[in-house]
């Protein structure tokens, strides 16, 4: 073997030995790293790093969860306890939101609910009356300075056959509010499931007004009966809303202020609020403070109020104008 061959053999041998040593070092390093817990064959999802701060999975989950449920009431009406089992209904962007501060509701010296903030200095107190308040001393009620107005039920539509009926106390109540000049509004319990039926109910109410000075709205009262045979219960949201629109358009055309009465859940679950943004709302929600996103004129806050001149429990209302 000449000198040139010896140099070539030596160079190749060194390259081979060096490569083997490098590979062996890498393999040994991997085993040592895994044994010592310094490296893992799979990236850990349990930790994330930002500016040297470590967040555990439980912290991230909690932050996301809290943020989600803080957001929900701004975009949805929840029915049930706020949480995973709540039923959520998107708030319509076609209905004006209220800007009331729940901290500004208070019980006045008169024992009734009031509200006051920088924009609203005074609210009114009213009662709604029907045949269920059978014993009313109208003279005493008229002298009651704590009560600003009454809402009288004119009548109702039957929930099976659909006939229109006059409230059995309406004629006496009508005569009394005329005699004592008590500020009054009217309402009708609906079971309308078409636009034309809503018009029919409105015309029924308008025919009963006579010499009454109706200063407050004329209201369509939308509620579920809780009976499998109730026509309104079996109607779709569109059908119920059709009836309400027919009623309100007819009342407005007659020169009166139309209004819709319903519970918080009824507004959320059973009506198409996208179609009702032009009308005033009367909210039935029995709570210490209302929890309702839309602007409302009236809040029926209890069904067990007491009023001088009225025997038994009575619905009480806070009114904003």
């Amino acid at each position: 073997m000449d000198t040139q061959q010896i140099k070539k053999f030596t160079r190749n041998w060194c390259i081979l030995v060096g490569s083997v040593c490098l590979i062996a070092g890498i393999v040994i390093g991997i085993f040592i790293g895994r044994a010592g817990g310094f490296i893992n064959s799979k990236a850990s999802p349990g930790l994330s790093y930002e500016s040297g701060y470590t967040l555990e999975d439980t912290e991230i989950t909690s932050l996301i969860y809290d943020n989600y449920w803080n957001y929900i009431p701004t975009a949805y009406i929840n029915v049930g306890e706020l949480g995973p089992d709540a039923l959520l209904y998107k708030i319509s962007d076609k209905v004006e939101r209220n800007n009331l501060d729940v901290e500004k509701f208070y019980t006045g010296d008169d024992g009734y609910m009031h509200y006051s903030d920088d924009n609203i200095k005074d609210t009114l107190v009213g009662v709604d009356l029907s045949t269920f308040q059978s014993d009313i001393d109208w003279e005493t009620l008229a002298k009651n300075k704590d009560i600003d107005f009454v809402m009288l039920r004119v009548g109702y539509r039957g929930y099976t056959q659909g006939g229109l009926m006059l409230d059995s106390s309406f004629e006496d109540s009508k005569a009394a509010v005329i005699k004592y000049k008590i500020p009054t509004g009217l309402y009708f319990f609906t079971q309308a499931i078409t636009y034309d039926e809503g018009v029919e109910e409105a015309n029924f109410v308008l025919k009963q007004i006579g010499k009454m000075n109706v200063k407050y709205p004329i209201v369509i009262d939308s509620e579920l009966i809780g009976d499998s045979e109730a026509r309104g219960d079996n109607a779709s949201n569109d059908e119920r809303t059709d009836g309400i629109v027919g009623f309100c358009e007819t009342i407005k055309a007659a020169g009166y202020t139309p209004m819709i009465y319903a519970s918080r859940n009824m507004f959320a679950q059973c009506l198409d609020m996208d179609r009702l943004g032009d009308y005033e709302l009367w909210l039935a929600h029995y709570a210490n403070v209302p929890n309702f996103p839309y602007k409302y004129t009236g809040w029926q806050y209890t069904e067990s109020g007491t009023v001088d001149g009225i025997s038994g429990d009575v619905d009480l209302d806070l009114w904003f104008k």
Side-chain angles (χ1 to χ4, degrees):
M1 182 180 296
D2 58 24
T3 302
Q4 191 67 27
Q5 288 176 324
I6 291 173
K7 288 181 179 181
K8 183 177 181 181
F9 176 80
T10 302
R11 185 178 66 247
N12 291 340
W13 174 254
C14 290
I15 292 171
L16 176 62
V17 172
S19 299
V20 170
C21 290
L22 177 62
I23 294 171
I26 293 172
V27 172
I28 292 170
I30 291 173
F31 278 115
I32 293 173
R34 287 184 176 177
F38 299 110
I39 62 173
N40 197 316
S41 60
K42 184 177 181 181
S44 171
L47 300 175
S48 62
Y49 300 91
E50 183 177 353
S51 301
Y53 182 70
T54 302
L55 289 175
E56 298 293 337
D57 274 350
T58 53
E59 293 178 283
I60 296 173
T61 301
S62 178
L63 288 171
I64 294 173
Y65 186 84
D66 290 346
N67 185 61
Y68 175 77
W69 288 111
N70 287 334
Y71 158 77
I72 284 297
T74 68
Y76 296 87
I77 298 175
N78 68 287
V79 176
E81 293 295 326
L82 188 61
D85 295 328
L87 300 175
L88 303 178
Y89 297 88
K90 190 75 173 68
I91 298 172
S92 172
D93 59 4
K94 295 180 174 61
V95 182
E96 185 177 356
R97 297 286 192 98
N98 80 69
N99 59 357
L100 301 174
D101 182 347
V102 296
E103 300 294 331
K104 302 298 184 180
F105 289 91
Y106 66 96
T107 301
D109 294 336
D110 55 9
Y112 301 127
M113 187 66 70
H114 294 270
Y115 179 92
S116 179
D117 63 19
D118 292 340
N119 299 313
I120 301 173
K121 297 303 181 183
D122 194 19
T123 50
L124 306 175
V125 178
V127 296
D128 47 285
L129 305 173
S130 68
T131 189
F132 299 107
Q133 288 76 44
S134 57
D135 188 7
I136 301 174
D137 182 339
W138 285 100
E139 184 175 3
T140 299
L141 181 59
K143 293 177 180 178
N144 189 335
K145 300 303 182 182
D146 295 329
I147 302 300
D148 298 296
F149 67 96
V150 299
M151 300 293 291
L152 300 182
R153 186 174 81 157
V154 176
Y156 57 94
R157 183 185 289 274
Y159 67 84
T160 54
Q161 299 302 313
L164 301 184
M165 306 294 292
L166 192 68
D167 186 286
S168 61
S169 69
F170 178 72
E171 291 295 348
D172 289 341
S173 297
K174 173 181 173 180
V177 297
I178 293 173
K179 177 180 179 180
Y180 293 105
K181 299 180 181 179
I182 299 174
T184 304
L186 305 173
Y187 71 97
F188 185 90
F189 185 89
T190 184
Q191 285 287 293
I193 56 176
T194 68
Y195 180 93
D196 288 342
E197 286 188 348
V199 172
E200 182 185 25
E201 292 178 354
N203 285 328
F204 179 86
V205 173
L206 292 170
K207 289 178 181 178
Q208 311 305 322
I209 292 177
K211 296 180 180 180
M212 296 178 68
N213 183 14
V214 180
K215 293 184 176 181
Y216 282 74
I218 298 180
V219 184
I220 183 166
D221 175 356
S222 184
E223 303 178 44
L224 297 182
I225 299 293
D227 190 309
S228 60
E229 296 184 3
R231 63 205 314 271
D233 287 22
N234 291 319
S236 68
N237 288 10
D238 284 340
E239 289 171 333
R240 293 188 200 96
T241 305
D242 286 343
I244 289 173
V245 172
F247 183 97
C248 290
E249 287 186 350
T250 305
I251 294 299
K252 185 176 181 179
Y256 297 95
T257 300
M259 177 181 278
I260 306 161
Y261 168 98
S263 69
R264 176 181 180 273
N265 291 357
M266 188 77 182
F267 280 122
Q269 295 178 289
C270 302
L271 302 176
D272 181 0
M273 293 304 297
D274 283 352
R275 299 171 57 194
L276 301 177
D278 291 338
Y279 307 115
E280 296 189 25
L281 306 182
W282 178 7
L283 171 67
H285 184 51
Y286 304 145
N288 292 329
V289 293
N291 177 13
F292 191 62
Y294 301 122
K295 182 178 180 180
Y296 52 93
T297 299
W299 172 34
Q300 185 185 87
Y301 63 90
T302 182
E303 59 183 347
S304 56
T306 58
V307 174
D308 288 344
I310 303 175
S311 297
D313 294 339
V314 64
D315 298 333
L316 291 176
D317 304 288
L318 179 152
W319 218 258
F320 287 95
K321 63 178 181 179

